[in-house]
Structures are given as C-alpha cells and as structure tokens.
Amino acid sequence: MATKLNKKERLRQLKIEIDKNPFYTDDELAELFSVSVQTIRLDRMELGIPELRERIKNVAEENYHKVKAIVGSEIVGELIDLELGKSGISVFEPTPDMAFLKTKIIRGHYIYSQAESLAISVIDADAALIGVANIKYKYPVRIGDRLVAKAEVIRRRGNKYFVWVMIKVKNKEVFRGKFILASLESDNTEKEMQ
Amino acid sequence: MATKLNKKERLRQLKIEIDKNPFYTDDELAELFSVSVQTIRLDRMELGIPELRERIKNVAEENYHKVKAIVGSEIVGELIDLELGKSGISVFEPTPDMAFLKTKIIRGHYIYSQAESLAISVIDADAALIGVANIKYKYPVRIGDRLVAKAEVIRRRGNKYFVWVMIKVKNKEVFRGKFILASLESDNTEKEMQ
C-alpha cells in the first residue's frame, strides 16, 4: 500500500487484513499501512481487535480441543493450526530465562521442545512417543524472536509416523527436524520403541 | 557376597564399597550385603555417610568448576564426572511433573535436555552450540528412573566437535544421540551454524 489512506478506509482495510491473517504484528501492520505502530494500536482498540498475543491464544484454544496424543497444556507454544493426522503450526516466544547466560542465545532444548510437542500433537492416535529424531539447528535464536513451527506427517507405516518439523523466525529457517513417532496402546509401552 | 557378615565387618566393607562407587543406591547395597534397606540406612548413619542424592551432589560440585562452555546450573542433572574435551557423566532423576499426563512416561525433551547439556559441558571452549543431533529413544523412561548419561567427544574438526551421548537406566540403554557442536567466538554467533 503505497499511498496513505484516510482513517475510515484504513480501519476498514485493517480489519480485512487481520481477518485474513490474525498473526500480523503491530510492526508489520504499521509498515503495511505506512503509519506508526502507535496509530495501529489505537486503530485496533477502536475496532476492538485484541493484541497479537491474545489473537494467537484465541485461535490456539480452538485447536487444543482437536489434539489427541498429548494434553493441550503440554504443547510448548500456542497451537495456531491443526489438521489432525496431517499438519500443524505452533508459535512460541522463548522467555529470557530460556537463554544461555554466556551467549544470550536460546538454549537448543527449548526449540527442540516446541518441535517435539508439535510433532506429537499432529498424530491421530490416543498416545504417541518419539522414537527417532534427526535435527539441525541452522541459526541461533535470540530473546525476543518469535518461532513459527510447521509440522507435516510425511508418511505412516503401521503404528509409525514420519513427521517433519521446520521452525522459522520471520523468513529464516532456524531449525529443521525429522521425527519418527510410534503411537501407543496403553499396554505396549514396555516394548522397545525401535 | 553370599554369606551374611557380622555388623562390624559389614560396616567396614560397606565403607569400602561406597568409596569405590559412591553411586550405589541403598537398594543395591542391601542386595549386595543380603540385609534390609533399613539396615543399610542405619549403617550409613553410623558411618556418617550421606544418602545417595547428597553423595552425587558432592561429587558434582567438584565438576562444575571444570566446565567452560556452559554455566554449571544450566546442566540438567548432576555432573558426576568430567574430563574436559574428552568425556563426562551426569545423573538425572526426572520428577513426576516431567511425565506426560496420559502415559505417565517422561517427556522426551527432558531426556534430550540432559543429553544436550552434557554434550555442551564436555566441550573445551568458552561457548558452544548444538548444530546437528541424531537421537534415538529406545525405551520409555518412567517416574522414579535414574538416568545415567555418558558423553564422549569422538572427534574434532576445526571448531566442530562430534559428541556421542548414551543414557542408561540401570543397565538398559534408553537413549542414544550423536551431536555436532560448534564452539563460538563471541562475535560469530550470527553466522550460519552448519
């Protein structure tokens, strides 16, 4: 949007944009409409549109009901999309206490936890465990970064599921993992998983 | 030890055994001496030998000073052995809140955290990050299991370190992981890690 809009028109289009993509940050919207972040905040208040964090939570709430293999509260991050047995998306903002004291870089296992719990969430079974994971950390993640993880069930063989997870910060891929999960009957968890 | 010893002799040998291996549980010692766990506890009190948890902490304290690439308190579990640049051992007892509500099995990422933080601990550099990890969960871990992780630096190429981590519960291998880590200079963390 190259030209500035009058306020009425901006409010109308702002609502349309957020309906299309509820995960725009105020920064991104400010850029899109060539106005200040403060203006976007006032516009949102006028339209009664909650802040991003709240919007993410609202979308996530609906998805937690669909999850089968894990309890919603055990998912690291907010589950903003889920097609059970197929794919899922979660958003996670690590907190400062999750960073290494020395390097201020977010500790790998928190990123891993987001990926692992999302991989379990997409499985269409009452319980599932990770058997194998091949993972790659591509760029360091820092305090304030917003991690968007996408999981996809690539194939299924019996009770084994192959799930790929990619995590991005903005458009940069920071993590990639391939997981093999086994769905469980409640009486066979003593058997070897691989 | 097939035959029961008299008390004086048992106390003498108990001290020798715990000196040799401070990580015996009271259960294991009871079996070794063919007496009840209660007897072992009374014997320990008489000898002034603290309980296992305390003994592990004492050994771990000494090792935390040697660690370079991570702050001691960031290590998941107690670091009971460390040869910087070569190998390390940590002991970790997951707590009940680390188990999945559905299956009562310890969540994979807690086991992963022990392995990851141990892999970083053994690196002889001021800071290090995980680049790649290939991991395998072999048996489910349950509440009350004591995880013993061993890490070994297999080789080094420039600032890349190849570290293998094996985790056992009693004598059963429950987890195995190969990690590739990169040591960091404080000014190159923005570069791609792989």
Side-chain angles (χ1 to χ4, degrees):
Chain A
M1 291 174 204
T3 53
K4 277 210 184 190
L5 304 167
N6 65 43
K7 185 174 171 191
K8 199 180 146 190
E9 183 57 18
R10 188 179 69 234
L11 288 178
R12 202 184 64 83
Q13 294 201 11
L14 183 62
K15 191 172 167 356
I16 293 172
E17 289 300 328
I18 295 180
D19 277 347
K20 270 198 290 187
N21 176 2
F23 306 118
Y24 271 126
T25 62
D26 286 346
D27 279 357
E28 287 163 352
L29 290 167
E31 202 172 319
L32 194 64
F33 287 97
S34 311
V35 295
S36 71
V37 172
Q38 182 63 15
T39 301
I40 291 293
R41 282 195 196 128
L42 292 169
D43 284 358
R44 276 202 296 95
M45 278 167 68
E46 203 166 326
L47 290 165
I49 296 173
E51 58 164 358
L52 175 63
R53 205 176 301 265
E54 212 47 47
R55 298 201 299 275
I56 291 177
K57 275 223 178 90
N58 293 345
V59 176
E61 280 304 319
E62 297 164 24
N63 288 306
Y64 291 137
H65 298 297
K66 303 186 209 159
V67 176
K68 287 173 70 178
I70 186 171
V71 174
S73 59
E74 294 177 336
I75 299 168
V76 175
E78 305 281 353
L79 188 64
I80 62 169
D81 187 51
L82 182 69
E83 270 198 78
L84 203 60
K86 280 195 177 164
S87 63
I89 299 175
S90 74
V91 174
F92 175 47
E93 267 184 52
T95 49
D97 60 291
M98 295 177 184
F100 284 109
L101 290 170
K102 285 198 162 200
T103 56
K104 308 290 177 205
I105 290 169
I106 300 300
R107 303 177 62 174
H109 72 82
Y110 289 106
I111 302 163
Y112 175 84
S113 307
Q114 180 187 16
E116 190 192 81
S117 59
L118 182 61
I120 299 173
S121 304
V122 298
I123 302 300
D124 188 4
D126 286 332
L129 288 179
I130 305 289
V132 174
N134 293 325
I135 63 181
K136 195 167 178 180
Y137 296 92
K138 300 182 77 180
Y139 283 93
V141 173
R142 292 169 187 283
I143 298 166
D145 283 347
R146 191 160 57 113
L147 299 167
V148 179
K150 293 187 191 186
E152 213 176 316
V153 181
I154 298 301
R155 67 171 188 276
R156 183 186 166 172
R157 214 161 52 205
N159 75 327
K160 295 269 200 307
Y161 298 76
F162 297 73
V163 180
W164 288 16
V165 180
M166 269 178 30
I167 303 182
K168 286 184 178 180
V169 171
K170 283 176 182 150
N171 284 318
K172 192 154 76 173
E173 190 178 294
V174 295
F175 173 99
R176 173 187 284 253
K178 294 180 191 174
F179 294 87
I180 306 177
L181 297 93
S183 61
L184 293 180
E185 302 304 319
S186 48
D187 59 350
N188 75 352
T189 56
E190 278 309 326
K191 289 182 203 155
E192 198 178 0
M193 284 148 70
Q194 281 305 310
Chain B
M1 293 178 201
T3 53
K4 277 210 184 189
L5 305 166
N6 66 41
K7 185 175 172 190
K8 200 181 146 188
E9 182 58 17
R10 189 180 67 232
L11 287 178
R12 202 183 65 82
Q13 294 203 10
L14 183 62
K15 193 174 167 354
I16 294 171
E17 289 299 330
I18 295 180
D19 278 347
K20 271 199 291 187
N21 176 3
F23 307 118
Y24 271 126
T25 62
D26 286 346
D27 279 356
E28 287 163 351
L29 291 166
E31 201 172 318
L32 194 64
F33 287 96
S34 310
V35 295
S36 72
V37 172
Q38 184 62 15
T39 301
I40 292 293
R41 282 194 196 130
L42 293 168
D43 284 357
R44 276 202 297 95
M45 279 168 68
E46 203 165 326
L47 290 164
I49 296 173
E51 57 163 359
L52 175 63
R53 204 176 300 265
E54 213 47 48
R55 298 201 300 277
I56 291 179
K57 276 222 177 90
N58 294 344
V59 176
E61 281 304 319
E62 298 164 25
N63 288 305
Y64 291 137
H65 299 297
K66 303 186 210 159
V67 175
K68 286 174 70 177
I70 185 172
V71 174
S73 61
E74 295 178 335
I75 298 168
V76 175
E78 307 280 354
L79 189 64
I80 61 169
D81 189 51
L82 181 69
E83 270 198 79
L84 203 61
K86 280 193 176 166
S87 63
I89 300 175
S90 75
V91 174
F92 176 48
E93 267 185 51
T95 49
D97 60 292
M98 296 178 183
F100 284 110
L101 290 170
K102 285 198 162 200
T103 56
K104 307 292 178 204
I105 291 170
I106 300 300
R107 301 178 62 174
H109 72 83
Y110 289 106
I111 302 162
Y112 174 84
S113 307
Q114 181 187 16
E116 191 192 80
S117 58
L118 182 62
I120 300 173
S121 304
V122 298
I123 302 300
D124 188 3
D126 286 332
L129 288 179
I130 305 289
V132 173
N134 294 325
I135 63 181
K136 195 168 176 178
Y137 296 92
K138 300 182 77 179
Y139 284 93
V141 173
R142 291 170 188 284
I143 297 165
D145 283 346
R146 191 160 57 114
L147 299 167
V148 179
K150 295 188 190 183
E152 212 176 318
V153 181
I154 298 301
R155 68 171 189 276
R156 182 186 165 172
R157 215 162 51 204
N159 75 329
K160 295 269 199 307
Y161 298 77
F162 297 72
V163 180
W164 288 16
V165 180
M166 268 178 29
I167 302 182
K168 287 185 178 179
V169 171
K170 283 174 184 153
N171 285 317
K172 193 154 75 175
E173 189 179 293
V174 295
F175 173 99
R176 172 186 284 254
K178 295 180 192 174
F179 295 86
I180 306 176
L181 297 94
S183 61
L184 292 181
E185 303 304 319
S186 49
D187 58 349
N188 75 353
T189 57
E190 277 307 326
K191 288 182 202 155
E192 200 179 359
M193 285 149 69
Q194 281 301 312

